[in-house]
Amino acid sequence: MTDADDHLAAIRTARGHYVEARTALFDAIRAALAADVGPSAIARAAEFSREYIAKIRDGKGPKGV
C-alpha cells in the first residue's frame, strides 16, 4: 500500500464518520422539534441559522439525511 492509498483510506473512513454524525445530528434536530423545543434554541445548539432549522422542520432541508 502506498502513502496515497493510506490517505485515501483515511478519507473514506472519515467520510463514513461524517455521514453517521450528520445523520445523528439531523435526527436529534427533528426529535427536538417534535418535542416542541424552539427553533432558536436548536439553532444555537447546532450552530445553524434559525432559517436552516425551519427548512429542516418543513422538510426542505438536506436530502438523504
Side-chain angles (χ1 to χ4, degrees):
M1 216 174 194
T2 67
D3 282 348
D5 291 333
D6 290 342
H7 288 293
L8 295 175
I11 289 168
R12 287 185 194 99
T13 298
R15 177 64 184 187
H17 292 302
Y18 166 78
V19 169
E20 291 172 10
R22 186 172 185 248
T23 298
L25 173 60
F26 283 91
D27 287 348
I29 289 170
R30 288 187 197 97
L33 288 166
D36 292 326
V37 177
S40 292
I42 296 169
R44 283 190 300 274
E47 298 183 13
F48 288 153
S49 68
R50 288 185 324 268
E51 293 79 11
Y52 194 55
I53 299 300
K55 284 184 177 186
I56 294 166
R57 178 196 62 213
D58 299 339
K60 298 177 184 172
K63 305 287 186 245
V65 180

